Amino acid sequence: MSSVPYLTHKGIFFPAVASYTEEYLRYVENEFQLMDDDVVNVTYPKSGTNWMAEILSLIRKDGDPTWVRNVFLWDRVPWFETATSQSTILNYTPPRFMSSHLPFQLFPKSFLRSKAKVIYTVRNPKDVLVSFFHFSNSFKILKDPGNMQDFMDTFLRGDVIYGSWFDHVKGWLAMKDMPNFFLITYEELQQDLRGSVERICRFLGKELTSQQIDSVVENASFETMKNNKMSNFTQVPNDMMDHSKGKLMRKGKSGTWKSCLTVAQNEHFDRVYQENMRGVTVTFPWD
Ligand code: A3P
């Protein structure tokens, strides 16, 4: 295992790089003011964050792909818990579209006093595990995952950046009946991207024509995003990502865990899942 250090803030790991500081995380939680017309793309890592960011960027521009083809994804839908995004966010012409991986307890408290909208995308945690494992091999600010068994143990303990998948999902599900909270799964996006885009538009109060929706769907497809250098992470600097070891746009499918986990690993995962999700009333596509 490599010795890449992590920052620990309130029991949660974050990458130990300049963009994450305890001071800024405290500021985000306690002082950052969400505005009523803000839209926040919230996910646990590897759950389709960048896909949703692309969809939202295209919806914002009524399906016109010019913006997504010319501006980096992280500038279109900036990360609000990183100090390095602060100026982008402060200079953003409203409505601001932002992304966050923060667990609910560290999310800006101002959310509860605002009408800001949160779109929370959840993904089958077994696919999250596999995606996270591969990404950890290439993203240099993440600890070396070891082998799949090592990483599964680490993941199920929640000893990864942004903490436990179970805690993250359960924390955010507490918001599920709020009118400004929209829950969607990666699997729904996969099964019916057009229908999902229509639902997202309704939630945002955005009326797009049928042709504009077609354009969102086409430009947010795996193939198109994979070839868009503004979105596919190929422009992430080499000191942060070893491009020879992996890519963001890896498989883009549901269920790839089936060829990665042994029967015993899958059974163990299921047991931990059942224990942790006891009492959760939402049924997910993978349940
Ligand atoms: P895989 O590693 O399983 O391929 P995040 O953006 O949260 O880091 O999630 C990354 C995962 O989303 C990767 O999964 C990636 O391939 C997938 N993804 C990104 N864009 C996608 C798209 N347009 N369609 C389907 N999957 C996409």
Side-chain angles (χ1 to χ4, degrees), residues 46-51 123 131 186 220 248-252:
K46 311 318 295 172
S47 302
T49 326
N50 292 284
W51 192 6
R123 185 181 192 188
S131 183
Y186 178 94
L248 170 78
M249 306 298 293
R250 198 182 58 91
K251 300 269 185 199

Side-chain angles (χ1 to χ4, degrees), residues 43-52 54 101 123 127-128 130-132 134-135 186 190 193 219-223 225-226 233 247-254 256:
T43 57
Y44 185 81
K46 311 318 295 172
S47 302
T49 326
N50 292 284
W51 192 6
M52 183 56 75
E54 197 81 338
H101 281 324
R123 185 181 192 188
D127 284 328
V128 170
V130 171
S131 183
F132 213 153
H134 288 288
F135 197 63
Y186 178 94
Q190 280 276 346
L193 184 53
N219 287 289
S221 73
F222 186 79
E223 278 314 305
M225 263 186 84
K226 193 176 163 191
F233 274 37
K247 10 175 163 341
L248 170 78
M249 306 298 293
R250 198 182 58 91
K251 300 269 185 199
K253 292 202 162 60
S254 300
T256 59

Side-chain angles (χ1 to χ4, degrees), residues 6-19:
Y6 281 159
L7 163 74
T8 308
H9 173 63
K10 295 195 170 178
I12 306 282
F13 289 154
F14 292 90
V17 289
S19 44

